[in-house]
Amino acid sequence: MTSRMSNLDETLVKLAGELTGDPETKAFYGNVEALQDSIIELCQKAFHRFCGQTKGGPAGQLLPISVNQIGFQNAQASLRRGEVFDLVYVVPESVALWEMLQVLENEVEKVAQAVRTAGGDGMLHSPGLEFTYEGAAVKLLLANDADVSKISPDTVNSRVAGLIARLVSKSILDSVPDLGAFHGLLKCIRLWAKQRGLYGPSHDFGYIGGMGWAICCAHICQANPQSRSLEQLFTSFFMIMSGWDVQMPISIQPHSQAQAFEGEISQGAGYKVVLPVGKGLSATPNLTASAAHQLQKEFRRGNRMCAKIHAGAAEWSDVYASSKFVERYLHFLQIDVTAASDAIMSQWLLWCRRHLQGIAETLESVRTCHLRTRPWPVWVSFKDPDWHVAKTLLIALRISPPISASSQAGAKPVVDLREVLVTVFEKLCAWPYATKHLGEFDLYIRHMSQPEVGGHIGAVTLKGNCSGVWLFICF
């Protein structure tokens, strides 16, 4: 192993501050246990008020969800900059969660800031809230206490989704040979995936979210049970994933069975990541063919870079080089949403995210040519002189002309997206709060060429009120 191999930790320390979270967001250095106790009190107040019980009676249980937060031993343990404190409040099956959520929101608004409805997580969408409390970013979900051992994609619902998320994280931690090695590898891979534009919930644009990446990392740790070296595990990750049979699911086994991986053949796009609870639950239910292709391409790149590092021809920072997203494509679909306040943006963006699910597959279904999409999985903030807050989504487009006898040599391919985009536009503009917030939000969909995007999102300025949509373009 070369001397370069000992610098991965140093590289992560340097890059984590540059690439993780909002630069203006600070870490929470308070007493995490005290923070959780305060949130428990809020939940119990809401529970007793909703159920009409007196204080001191039976209530629910508040549990951490994240694999990084389950098992906090140190009362002074801090949340990293940009890290969200993920919790689920589990109550009896008889409690109607969406109705209780309204009561909980009233309690939280008395003491917290920036209170908003929690964003959906596809199949595991739960009722919940996101807010800032005592300087910490918190995501609090509600779930009914139930037996989920036999739950399937046909029976999963919002009542138990939060509980499933907790059980998945617990199963992952119970399955890995060494917790320290697992947490180190997961930190490396999450940072890499974000930098390469691969980190995002499957239900949005078909990529792999936090839970999926944790399962992938746990699988690598099980495949290397004797390895405690971060560099070795990191290298093994790319070696295994770049050669993965994409028709096989990625899963973890209980610790006692970690050496004997078996899985059923998956259907559809590759890299199906299976949750370790229930039956046939997937962490990547909406993985598209384009996303699977992009993942495979990046895994192979990572494997090549690790080989160069071993040979002394590259540095660890080269693995984390920013993806040349803008430079690689000539055309983009840009979707901009703006709002007059953070509260309106929270509701407006949540609606847009839900109704843009599957847009990549919808665009690729256009029959006039072979269209491949590459969404950037993060909504990017930009400054607009007319709006308090603005975010944009970029979907790169690459097309090939249809192969047919009638095709003219040298003719430019034409993409007609009018029908698709008008349908999308109408769904987004059907926001239930549109009349209430008339003139206080905006939506604009348009085509952007590579020079227009140019990597300078902050320079974009837009105007209108649900008034623009790009329909037709010649390449």
Side-chain angles (χ1 to χ4, degrees):
M1 187 178 299
T2 69
S3 61
R4 297 177 186 269
M5 293 294 289
S6 62
N7 296 326
L8 181 53
D9 272 324
E10 297 175 11
T11 299
L12 288 174
V13 170
K14 180 181 178 181
L15 292 176
E18 300 173 0
L19 307 177
T20 306
D22 186 336
E24 299 181 358
T25 303
K26 297 180 180 179
F28 174 80
Y29 290 106
N31 188 319
V32 174
E33 290 183 358
L35 174 65
Q36 185 167 335
D37 289 341
S38 297
I39 297 174
I40 289 176
E41 291 184 10
L42 290 174
C43 293
Q44 290 179 338
K45 284 182 181 178
F47 178 82
H48 292 305
R49 179 166 296 180
F50 179 74
C51 296
Q53 299 178 5
T54 58
K55 186 176 180 180
Q61 184 179 17
L62 186 67
L63 302 169
I65 295 177
S66 170
V67 292
N68 292 321
Q69 295 161 4
I70 293 177
F72 265 147
Q73 298 298 322
N74 185 355
Q76 295 298 325
S78 65
L79 301 176
R80 295 190 301 273
R81 181 168 64 83
E83 183 179 6
V84 176
F85 198 18
D86 284 313
L87 301 163
V88 59
Y89 187 57
V90 184
V91 296
E93 283 191 89
S94 59
V95 175
L97 300 183
W98 291 99
E99 286 79 358
M100 179 181 163
L101 181 64
Q102 301 301 316
V103 180
L104 177 62
E105 185 174 4
N106 292 335
E107 292 294 334
V108 172
E109 285 180 338
K110 296 176 183 177
V111 295
Q113 298 78 44
V115 182
R116 58 192 184 277
T117 302
D121 288 317
M123 180 179 66
L124 296 184
H125 173 53
S126 299
L129 299 172
E130 294 180 86
F131 52 92
T132 302
Y133 184 57
E134 297 183 2
V138 179
K139 183 174 183 178
L140 175 60
L141 304 180
L142 296 178
N144 288 127
D145 191 4
D147 179 12
V148 297
S149 60
K150 297 182 179 180
I151 202 161
S152 69
D154 295 329
T155 58
V156 67
N157 55 62
S158 61
R159 295 189 308 104
V160 297
L163 180 61
I164 290 175
R166 157 74 182 190
L167 294 178
V168 167
S169 293
K170 190 68 169 59
S171 296
I172 291 172
L173 296 177
D174 290 342
S175 72
V176 296
D178 183 273
L179 285 176
F182 164 73
H183 282 302
L185 178 61
L186 181 58
K187 180 173 66 174
C188 289
I189 296 303
R190 281 182 170 176
L191 188 59
W192 167 81
K194 289 178 180 179
Q195 186 67 348
R196 301 302 297 176
L198 303 173
Y199 191 100
S202 173
H203 69 275
D204 273 359
F205 308 112
Y207 294 109
I208 300 178
M211 191 176 294
W213 287 117
I215 293 172
C216 291
C217 290
H219 180 84
I220 300 303
C221 290
Q222 289 187 339
N224 299 269
Q226 304 303 320
S227 178
R228 301 294 183 268
S229 166
L230 179 59
E231 290 82 3
Q232 290 177 353
L233 287 172
F234 192 61
T235 301
S236 179
F237 176 89
F238 290 108
M239 184 180 298
I240 291 176
M241 297 303 292
S242 64
W244 191 266
D245 180 356
V246 295
Q247 293 304 311
M248 292 295 293
I250 303 170
S251 67
I252 59 174
Q253 297 291 336
H255 186 55
S256 61
Q257 305 173 22
Q259 300 300 317
F261 168 75
E262 294 181 0
E264 297 179 357
I265 299 296
S266 64
Q267 302 297 320
Y271 296 112
K272 178 181 180 182
V273 182
V274 180
L275 300 180
V277 298
K279 294 183 178 297
L281 297 180
S282 174
T284 56
N286 301 309
L287 187 70
T288 64
S290 292
H293 174 79
Q294 191 67 32
L295 285 168
Q296 189 173 55
K297 177 181 175 182
E298 290 291 344
F299 289 145
R300 290 173 177 172
R301 174 193 175 274
N303 192 41
R304 290 194 304 270
M305 294 304 301
C306 287
K308 288 184 178 181
I309 293 170
H310 277 281
E315 301 282 353
W316 285 112
S317 57
D318 296 329
V319 181
Y320 290 93
S322 176
S323 172
K324 296 182 179 180
F325 174 68
V326 174
E327 293 87 340
R328 292 184 182 277
Y329 298 90
L330 297 177
H331 299 276
F332 299 83
L333 181 65
Q334 180 171 313
I335 302 175
D336 301 303
V337 296
T338 57
S341 69
D342 292 329
I344 295 174
M345 173 58 83
S346 176
Q347 297 176 332
W348 175 219
L349 184 60
L350 180 60
W351 173 265
C352 290
R353 284 184 59 194
R354 287 179 179 174
H355 289 81
L356 286 172
Q357 291 175 13
I359 188 173
E361 289 182 301
T362 302
L363 292 172
E364 291 180 359
S365 68
V366 174
R367 297 184 179 277
T368 55
C369 67
H370 177 65
L371 178 66
R372 176 167 286 176
T373 63
R374 166 64 162 112
W376 191 253
V378 178
W379 287 83
V380 180
S381 298
F382 67 92
K383 292 184 179 180
D384 186 291
D386 299 322
W387 294 98
H388 172 73
V389 58
K391 293 180 180 291
T392 187
L393 172 70
L394 288 172
I395 303 177
L397 306 174
R398 178 173 289 168
I399 74 165
S400 300
I403 301 176
S404 65
S406 59
S407 300
Q408 296 182 1
K412 292 184 177 181
V414 176
V415 181
D416 187 351
L417 301 178
R418 285 175 290 189
E419 183 177 352
V420 171
L421 291 184
V422 166
T423 300
V424 171
F425 193 73
E426 290 176 346
K427 288 181 179 180
L428 296 180
C429 290
W431 186 35
Y433 298 105
T435 302
K436 177 181 178 181
H437 297 299
L438 186 64
E440 297 181 310
F441 71 101
D442 190 5
L443 167 68
Y444 195 38
I445 305 176
R446 63 175 176 177
H447 164 253
M448 294 281 284
S449 65
Q450 184 190 73
E452 290 176 305
V453 175
H456 299 288
I457 303 300
V460 177
T461 57
L462 305 168
K463 294 182 179 180
N465 184 50
C466 285
S467 57
V469 59
W470 167 68
L471 301 175
F472 187 85
I473 181 171
C474 294
F475 286 73

